[in-house]
Amino acid sequence: MKIVDAKVVVTSPGRNFVTLKLTTDDGLTGLGDATLNGRELAVVSYLTDHVAPLLLGLDPHRIEDTWQYLYRGAYWRRGPVTMAAIAAVDVALWDIKAKAAGLPLYQLLGGASRDRVRTYGHANGRDIPELLDSVRARLDEGYQAVRIQSGIPGLKAVYGVHSTDDDGSAVLHQQARPLVEDWDTDAYLRHIPAVFDAVRSEFGADLPLLHDAHHRLTPVQAGRLGRDLEPYRPFWLEDCTPAENQEALRLVRANTTTPLAIGEVFNTVYDYQTLITEQLIDYVRSAVTHFGGVTPLRKLFDFAAQYQIKSAIHGPEDISPVGMAAAVHLDLAVHNFGIQEYSGHTALTNEVFRHAYTFADGHLHPGEAPGIGVELDEEMAAAHPYEAAYLPVNRLQDGSVHDW
Ligand code: GCO
Ligand code: MG
């Protein structure tokens, strides 16, 4: 079997998605997600200008070799653009291999280790009453674990709150210029324990509650927040510091037993080396889409398993249904699965990307369709062309830029 076509499809059914479609001389097709929110066209160019010409004529069954060829062969390694492009190729090849075998992908990854995949959904509110309503809405949808994000008194717009539509739809971050949000760490640190207190009082001790600090804290601030949240037993505190500096997590870890989750902006296992070997975190959060695909993510999970660290694949709206499908196959198969983030997609997105995975009672299942189980409607995709969009930026009260 040979790859005879490699095509990149960009579509915006509410937000931008980049998809690689590989076709073989046997007529099999494979899809891979290459969406890098806010920098989509850089990956399109990487794929069409530099990768697609190399794929033509290759045997699609040689997944590991193709991965190494694209990773080592570029000389310039790592980085989100490179790794999103390689991820798309990797997932498309797994899709083809599983279709050729007539099996859903999870069967090629060792088969199911569980019956279904536990997810968490997003709840948010500009204030506590609005957040409580949002938690109630997620529970009504069936979610059994919820991430809680709240507005902060005195701040106009903060991560995870202002930008979510009432119906959870995908206008999120679709801005022609970066929206400017504001930030004040002290105000945040004072407010969040009260948010947890209110949610615990309303919904009881059992509901798993997660929270995303979105890279904004120093290690000592993160240690303080983790400690302040301990009485509320959070499921995890996510991205407490910008963890490029892995050693910083030693300080956080020494100061709190709140479980820590990190990694949605990481691209390779090297970003995790200290965090995993020193057991500084509890969950690895990378997306299939930004980590180079199923092949390296599986290796990461096996590495993490040696340290009792679990998987928690990144799954916001900007991971396309193609990336989400690949994630759910991996979730079902790996032993050290922790939880899967799942925000769902708009009805229109689900029409452009028809998928076999299903959501019920807060759990996902990848379905039994051969491959990853996603079909791209290219006509519909073409009817919703690319729209320029940026993620927001963050400024402190004095006007200086802060991590978003
Ligand atoms: C999450 C993430 C996302 C990111 C987004 C950026 O935990 O789901 O933090 O909300 O901000 O993926 O594109
Ligand atoms: Mg996050």
Side-chain angles (χ1 to χ4, degrees), residues 345-367:
H345 291 99
T346 60
L348 183 60
T349 300
N350 289 331
E351 279 178 56
V352 175
F353 299 92
R354 285 189 304 274
H355 53 79
Y357 65 81
T358 50
F359 177 75
D361 301 326
H363 290 73
L364 284 161
H365 191 281

Side-chain angles (χ1 to χ4, degrees), residues 147 159 212 214 238-239 264 285 314 341:
R147 188 189 82 165
Y159 166 77
D212 192 346
H214 226 251
E238 175 178 338
D239 287 334
E264 66 184 47
R285 290 265 305 132
H314 188 212
E341 182 181 26

Side-chain angles (χ1 to χ4, degrees), residues 146-181:
V146 185
R147 188 189 82 165
I148 52 173
Q149 304 296 133
S150 164
I152 309 297
L155 299 185
K156 290 190 298 294
V158 301
Y159 166 77
V161 178
H162 84 285
S163 46
T164 306
D165 243 10
D166 290 345
D167 64 354
S169 73
V171 293
L172 197 71
H173 312 325
Q174 205 77 355
Q175 308 284 342
R177 301 274 310 167
L179 186 82
V180 181
E181 296 186 355

Side-chain angles (χ1 to χ4, degrees), residues 123-124 130-140 146-148 199 203 207 209:
N124 57 75
E130 203 174 89
L131 171 62
L132 297 180
D133 287 346
S134 177
V135 174
R136 220 165 278 121
R138 295 296 85 75
L139 296 180
D140 289 347
V146 185
R147 188 189 82 165
I148 52 173
V199 175
F203 297 99
L207 180 64
L209 295 178

